Amino acid sequence: MADTSFRYDPLTTAQEWKVAGRQVAIATVIETWGSAPCAPGSHLVIDRDANFEGSVSGGCVESEVISEAANVIDSGTAKILEIGVSDERAWSVGLSCGGRIRIYIESLV
């Protein structure tokens, strides 16, 4: 029987990376509407070299978040991204419905 007591925490990774001297940003899902694979409170941790752990959505959304995280690390200014997919677009790529997601990205100092 598998041990299910361990729960992965990307915030632990963020702390470990920061202690190791890496520049780190944390992306957090703060709000969702419609179809969204990750619930509010989900985290993606990104370092300056675009290494990442965790998840805030998947696919092209995470690519955009990773790209924006580099800007946040460089500027030190937090940012909120709002990304949406219309129902029509979602249907055309095989999803049952569209949705929107808001993600807060901040740099650890």
Side-chain angles (χ1 to χ4, degrees), residues 8-84:
Y8 171 75
D9 182 8
L11 297 180
T12 300
T13 299
Q15 180 181 13
E16 290 169 356
W17 288 359
K18 188 66 180 168
V19 168
R22 294 159 81 169
Q23 295 176 300
V24 178
I26 298 175
T28 305
V29 176
I30 56 173
E31 204 166 10
T32 64
W33 300 270
S35 179
C38 294
S42 298
H43 299 289
L44 179 66
V45 177
I46 310 101
D47 76 2
R48 185 65 189 94
D49 296 324
N51 296 300
F52 62 94
E53 289 195 26
S55 184
V56 291
S57 182
C60 59
V61 170
E62 288 190 350
S63 296
E64 185 170 345
V65 171
I66 291 165
S67 177
E68 286 296 330
N71 296 330
V72 168
I73 288 169
D74 289 342
S75 70
T77 302
K79 181 173 190 173
I80 295 177
L81 293 180
E82 186 169 324
I83 302 167

